[in-house]
Amino acid sequence: VAMVESGFDPTARSHAGAAGMWQFVPRTGEELGLTIDHWADLRLDPERSTVAAGRYLSMLHDRFGTWELAFAAYNMGYGAMLRSIRKYNSNDYWELAHLEAGLPFETNLYVAKIVACAIVAHNRERFGLGELELEEPIRWETVEVPGGVSLGVVARAAGADAQTVRQLNPALRRGRTPPGRDSFAVRIPQGSGERFARQWARVRPSHPVHRPQVLRFGETLADLARAHGTTEDAIRELNGVEEGERVGAGTTLLVPEGRRRGRAEPSEPPVIAVPDGPRAIEGRARVFYRVTRGDELAEVARFFRVRPDEIRQWNAIDPNASLQSGMFLQLF
């Protein structure tokens, strides 16, 4: 299955958003416990994703009873497979495959490829492939390091090439272990574990420890930089955030060590224009929220636990127009 899905490439991506050796889309990956966030995409982890794929394929086989139906459901989706069985009143994969509209053409090819690959791989001499030299398996050792540690530091401690360590850990999107965690399992080349254990105690103190901070709703990288006496560019570089990339609320970011600024003297409160309407609603608190770049009405409503139509009612908001940075929304 992995051979047909990706050619065993753990970094493979499709135009439909599927990723990894097993080509999970984000929703399926998260349902199977594969975290996808700013720092890591565990769909790209060959070990964790294979365990998840095994669980998922086992579930499909338990549900449908044959591997052909399980493979078809893996490709076309559980619900679509179930609808096809009910529509044509048959649970025979080969019968469904012969019907003109029984299964998607892509799914028919997909299952056929898996079966063909399995037959050929187990009978290589019969198919004239007996002289092929098989690739050696990739081997590694696993070490535990704290969150927020650069893979470059891990590579130096292991006496390994940094690119090799990055290739062994394709799920780490920013070249660091996710900050805010006590420990994270990192792969290093086989045979380098002893050296790593000796060197880590000496390498680690020289590695700068950066403070992890969780980005709050409505807070920008510029706000975070001002609060911690650093620059937005320094935060972007440290966290692998591209220019123009939006970082969502709840993301844990590393902040460079610097002089944390005290609270500024309170300034004059802004004057905010609000439309005619209620100034108070019983049982609710009135607050004002300053819009930041990229905010969407539905996202703001979800955070404050109100409905989008209520926000439109309380403010002069056009539902077809985009929210603009610097606007203030009146919320109850």
Side-chain angles (χ1 to χ4, degrees):
V1 175
M3 182 176 178
V4 172
E5 286 285 353
S6 66
F8 298 112
D9 180 1
T11 64
R13 293 184 179 274
S14 79
H15 66 277
M21 197 161 68
W22 298 92
Q23 290 293 283
F24 288 125
V25 295
R27 181 177 176 182
T28 303
E30 290 176 339
E31 287 175 350
L32 293 170
L34 301 175
T35 303
I36 305 168
D37 58 23
H38 176 79
W39 292 101
D41 185 345
L42 295 188
R43 295 177 300 166
L44 307 183
D45 185 300
E47 202 168 9
R48 292 180 175 94
S49 65
T50 297
V51 172
R55 289 201 314 270
Y56 187 44
L57 282 165
S58 294
M59 181 273 290
L60 292 174
H61 183 265
D62 289 345
R63 180 65 180 86
F64 292 110
T66 70
W67 283 115
E68 291 87 354
L69 289 173
F71 296 150
Y74 190 96
N75 177 258
M76 64 189 287
Y78 172 88
M81 184 76 255
L82 200 56
R83 286 193 296 274
S84 181
I85 289 173
R86 289 171 176 169
K87 180 178 179 180
Y88 295 101
N89 201 33
S90 173
N91 64 354
D92 184 330
Y93 168 79
W94 300 106
E95 181 65 27
L96 293 172
H98 282 114
L99 295 173
E100 184 175 352
L103 298 171
F105 183 64
E106 177 193 343
T107 300
N108 287 337
L109 290 181
Y110 176 82
V111 176
K113 286 177 185 177
I114 293 171
V115 175
C117 286
I119 292 171
V120 173
H122 285 281
N123 299 275
R124 288 186 293 121
E125 291 187 6
R126 178 81 176 268
F127 288 91
L129 302 173
E131 301 301 318
L132 282 181
E133 289 188 21
L134 303 184
E135 289 185 4
E136 287 295 319
I138 299 171
R139 304 185 188 280
W140 60 76
E141 296 181 42
T142 302
V143 295
E144 296 284 337
V145 300
V149 172
S150 164
L151 290 182
V153 172
V154 174
R156 284 198 296 275
D161 176 65
Q163 181 64 22
T164 300
V165 174
R166 282 194 291 270
Q167 289 174 346
L168 287 173
N169 298 275
L172 296 178
R173 304 172 66 183
R174 313 288 168 168
R176 287 183 182 273
T177 55
R181 298 195 185 189
D182 293 334
S183 66
F184 191 89
V186 174
R187 299 184 189 89
I188 57 176
Q190 188 176 45
S192 58
E194 275 189 37
R195 175 191 163 93
F196 178 86
R198 290 195 308 268
Q199 296 292 325
W200 182 241
R202 284 190 289 172
V203 172
R204 186 179 178 184
S206 65
H207 179 61
V209 178
H210 304 291
R211 293 190 297 267
Q213 297 288 329
V214 177
L215 196 67
R216 296 174 297 179
F217 190 84
E219 188 176 33
T220 65
L221 294 184
D223 296 332
L224 195 62
R226 280 193 298 272
H228 292 273
T230 184
T231 65
E232 184 177 348
D233 285 343
I235 292 178
R236 285 187 180 278
E237 182 179 358
L238 185 59
N239 293 276
V241 179
E242 300 291 336
E243 189 67 37
E245 180 183 355
R246 189 180 176 220
V247 182
T251 301
T252 300
L253 298 173
L254 292 172
V255 178
E257 288 292 345
R259 182 177 61 82
R260 182 158 184 161
R261 297 178 179 177
R263 290 185 178 274
E265 290 297 318
S267 57
E268 288 292 320
V271 177
I272 301 169
V274 294
D276 293 335
R279 296 292 180 264
I281 298 178
E282 187 177 353
R284 297 194 187 195
R286 185 192 193 195
V287 298
F288 290 91
Y289 170 71
R290 180 171 60 90
V291 173
T292 61
R293 187 177 64 179
D295 275 347
E296 296 181 0
L297 192 63
E299 183 182 20
V300 176
R302 190 161 50 248
F303 180 82
F304 286 100
R305 298 181 183 179
V306 297
R307 299 193 311 272
D309 62 306
E310 289 179 319
I311 298 181
R312 298 190 195 104
Q313 178 185 347
W314 299 329
N315 302 272
I317 297 296
D318 183 340
N320 298 315
S322 301
L323 295 177
Q324 299 300 313
S325 177
M327 293 174 62
F328 281 88
L329 298 178
Q330 173 183 232
L331 304 164
F332 293 95

